[in-house]
């Protein structure tokens, strides 16, 4: 029997998320998560297909121990890493710089390049590298593929990717817009074209990935032409804990006048800003509940979130010239009907509207929520980054073995 399974690994600094997929029907044979790696109270949750989850808390010292634990859990379900049916491991890698424009089979050269990119992704690439190295040590013979969060955005023109700062300084330090969530933007823009019954090459889409992290992208004919995250995921929309756009001079001001250190400002803008900074909550469900109870801080946080979102819809409408659809995705985009309604409210002259009844429907399926005669379709398209990573990995490994 030919190998049809792909293990998708998403290695963070203290966690490993995984899914084992069968590419014949995209089914999840197992999914799971190891959290708090390196602490005494590390937690494992493993869910085999159709079965109850197995959870336990035990010390898991490092990524190597975490992956061995995952392998042992998979083996209990007859899905061990030594199975001949395992075709490849697909790794999420956050930063591929300008080098990696496509998913790439991992070898020493690729590892060295991901390492060279650590200065532009100091939080993410080291953890991704550890995950890859550990998985390679466990199965050195198995093809392993890196799928980069930045890859989909490498088609951006220089006019969108380059910041208006001194070119020599920018180039010396590789300062430019890279964008993130690319796997999601790629998947959702393609799924939106499918929902419209058209080829991705014929469709212009604005994708709004609204999760705890949030980003917008303008996609022309299947290729990204602009995105809201930049050198790092800090730029752009208001997020759960990140500020998104603001005058960069706020940083100088906080350093000079507020006497804050660079690290303190980094933590403030990445972890203590956005919705949580504005109202103390970053979960949109809680914010909506507080608004319903008349909480003014929550209402203002919501308004600031929507105001920024609207600015990006307008900006990307102008960048694209013609827009066929706007797609909402990720935790907030897929679930928060009031966010979707507020984001397009008042934009009827741009051909944008949401049908109240369609917007209120809860579903895991891609769907249209605009009125039937809408000039620009508004869609809700659940994202599936793991499936996209597995699909890209399998396509590459399949091609290689042909
Ligand atoms: P993600 O990063 O895509 O997992 O999204 C997580 C965020 O989605 C949470 O922080 C919530 O703000 C939001 N979210 C999840 N479920 C709901 C829901 N039912 N209604 C509103 N927001 C939700």
């Amino acid at each position: 029997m030919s190998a049809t399974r792909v293990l998708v690994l998403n290695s963070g600094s203290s966690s490993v998320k995984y899914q084992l997929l069968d590419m014949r029907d995209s089914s999840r044979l197992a999914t799971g998560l190891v959290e708090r790696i390196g602490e005494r109270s590390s937690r494992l949750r493993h869910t085999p297909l159709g079965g109850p989850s197995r959870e336990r808390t035990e010390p898991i010292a490092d990524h190597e121990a975490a992956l061995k634990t995952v392998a042992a859990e998979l083996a209990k379900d007859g899905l061990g890493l030594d199975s001949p049916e395992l075709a490849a491991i697909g790794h999420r890698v956050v930063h591929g710089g300008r080098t990696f424009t496509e998913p790439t089979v991992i070898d020493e050269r690729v590892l060295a390049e991901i390492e060279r990119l650590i200065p532009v992704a100091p939080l993410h690439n080291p953890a991704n590298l550890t995950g890859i190295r550990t998985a390679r040590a466990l199965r050195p013979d198995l093809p392993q593929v890196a799928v980069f969060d930045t890859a989909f955005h490498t088609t951006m023109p220089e006019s969108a990717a380059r910041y208006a700062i001194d070119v020599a300084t920018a180039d010396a330090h590789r300062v430019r817009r890279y964008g993130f969530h690319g796997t999601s933007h790629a998947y959702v823009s393609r799924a939106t074209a499918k929902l419209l019954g058209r080829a991705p090459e014929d469709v212009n889409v604005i994708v709004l990935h609204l999760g705890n992290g949030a980003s917008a992208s303008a996609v022309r004919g299947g290729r990204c032409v602009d995105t809201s995250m930049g050198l790092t995921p800090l730029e752009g929309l208001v997020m759960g804990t990140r500020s998104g756009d603001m005058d960069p001079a706020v940083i100088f001001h906080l350093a000079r006048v507020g006497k804050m250190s660079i690290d303190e400002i980094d933590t403030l803008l990445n972890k203590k800003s956005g919705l949580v900074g504005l109202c103390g909550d970053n979960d949109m469900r809680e914010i909506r509940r507080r608004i319903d109870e008349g909480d003014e801080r929550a209402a203002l946080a919501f308004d600031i979130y929507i105001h920024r979102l609207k600015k990006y819809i307008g900006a990307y409408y102008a960048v694209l010239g013609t827009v066929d659809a706007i797609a909402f995705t990720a935790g907030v985009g897929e679930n928060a009907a009031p966010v979707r309604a507020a984001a397009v409210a008042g934009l009827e002259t741009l051909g944008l509207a949401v049908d109240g009844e369609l917007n209120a429907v809860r579903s895991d399926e891609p769907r249209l929520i605009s009125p039937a005669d809408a000039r620009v379709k508004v869609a809700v398209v659940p994202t599936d980054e793991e499936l996209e990573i597995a699909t890209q990995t399998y396509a590459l490994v399949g091609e290689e073995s042909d």
Side-chain angles (χ1 to χ4, degrees):
M1 187 196 284
S2 68
T4 58
R5 292 178 189 160
V6 174
L7 178 66
V8 176
L9 285 181
N10 182 354
S11 307
S13 56
S14 65
S15 70
V16 176
K17 289 188 201 134
Y18 61 95
Q19 293 199 0
L20 182 67
L21 291 96
D22 188 330
M23 299 316 291
R24 286 174 298 190
D25 58 1
S26 305
S27 59
R28 264 68 169 175
L29 300 174
T31 64
L33 167 70
V34 184
E35 307 176 272
R36 302 206 286 260
I37 295 172
E39 294 179 28
R40 293 195 51 78
S41 59
S42 314
R43 271 174 44 85
L44 166 87
R45 193 179 67 235
H46 176 91
T47 312
L49 179 68
S53 298
R54 301 195 289 273
E55 294 194 26
R56 56 178 200 273
T57 303
E58 66 188 17
I60 297 177
D62 52 23
H63 281 73
E64 187 181 344
L67 220 57
K68 283 186 173 156
T69 308
V70 170
E73 287 302 318
L74 288 167
K76 285 183 197 166
D77 302 318
L79 302 168
L81 293 192
D82 51 358
S83 163
E85 288 171 62
L86 186 60
I89 300 180
H91 295 269
R92 175 184 183 218
V93 179
V94 168
H95 217 307
R98 300 179 75 181
T99 318
F100 297 110
T101 58
E102 292 183 334
T104 307
V105 174
I106 297 166
D107 57 18
E108 288 304 324
R109 212 177 35 83
V110 171
L111 284 173
E113 184 60 20
I114 297 172
E115 188 147 13
R116 201 178 68 88
L117 289 163
I118 286 177
V120 285
L123 297 180
H124 294 105
N125 275 27
N128 300 156
L129 271 173
T130 306
I132 294 171
R133 291 206 168 103
T134 311
R136 271 167 51 99
L138 283 180
R139 278 297 307 269
D141 55 314
L142 194 68
Q144 309 219 8
V145 174
V147 178
F148 299 91
D149 263 17
T150 46
F152 183 62
H153 304 303
T154 55
T155 52
M156 273 188 293
E158 279 297 280
S159 53
R162 194 171 268 288
Y163 293 116
I165 64 171
D166 173 64
V167 170
T169 307
D171 289 351
H173 300 290
R174 285 180 278 174
V175 172
R176 60 189 281 114
R177 177 181 310 288
Y178 293 101
F180 299 89
H181 292 146
T183 312
S184 177
H185 286 283
Y187 176 87
V188 170
S189 56
R190 235 184 312 109
T192 305
K194 193 172 167 203
L195 185 65
L196 301 186
R198 296 167 65 181
E201 300 76 48
D202 298 335
V203 175
N204 290 353
V205 189
I206 297 172
V207 178
L208 303 170
H209 176 112
L210 311 177
N212 196 30
S215 63
S217 69
V219 183
R220 174 179 289 133
R223 291 164 68 84
C224 177
V225 294
D226 203 353
T227 194
S228 59
M229 284 179 167
L231 172 74
T232 77
L234 183 56
E235 193 179 351
L237 300 172
V238 176
M239 313 186 205
T241 66
R242 296 191 193 113
S243 63
D245 295 338
M246 48 163 222
D247 182 348
V250 169
I251 296 167
F252 320 141
H253 181 79
L254 292 176
R256 292 185 188 128
V257 180
K259 304 286 178 223
M260 291 174 73
S261 71
I262 290 295
D263 285 344
E264 284 168 343
I265 300 171
D266 191 331
T267 303
L268 176 83
L269 298 180
N270 274 296
K271 304 239 167 82
K272 298 181 182 171
S273 296
L275 292 171
V276 89
L278 289 166
C279 73
D281 273 307
N282 62 335
D283 192 312
M284 192 54 80
R285 284 163 288 202
E286 187 58 18
I287 291 170
R288 291 301 312 173
R289 196 191 59 70
R290 283 172 56 186
I291 293 172
D292 289 344
E293 286 177 354
D295 186 318
E296 285 180 13
R297 268 181 72 203
L300 179 60
F302 186 82
D303 288 350
I304 294 170
Y305 184 95
I306 296 296
H307 180 74
R308 186 83 51 83
L309 199 51
K310 236 178 202 167
K311 284 198 333 198
Y312 271 92
I313 292 172
Y316 288 172
Y317 206 118
V319 165
L320 289 169
T322 314
V323 178
D324 298 291
I326 294 192
F328 287 90
T329 194
V332 176
E334 290 167 28
N335 296 299
V339 168
R340 298 190 297 252
V344 301
L347 301 184
E348 292 80 6
T349 51
L350 296 180
L352 276 165
V354 157
D355 177 293
E357 272 180 37
L358 293 176
N359 192 29
V361 171
R362 298 196 67 84
S363 160
D364 292 334
E365 295 298 317
R367 58 202 185 272
L368 294 179
I369 57 168
S370 41
D373 60 351
R375 193 151 47 84
V376 178
K377 306 295 179 202
V378 181
V380 181
V381 179
T383 193
D384 196 336
E385 291 169 274
E386 289 79 14
L387 176 60
E388 181 69 16
I389 292 172
T391 304
Q392 293 191 13
T393 298
Y394 195 59
L396 193 58
V397 171
E399 273 169 32
E400 291 242 315
S401 57
D402 278 347

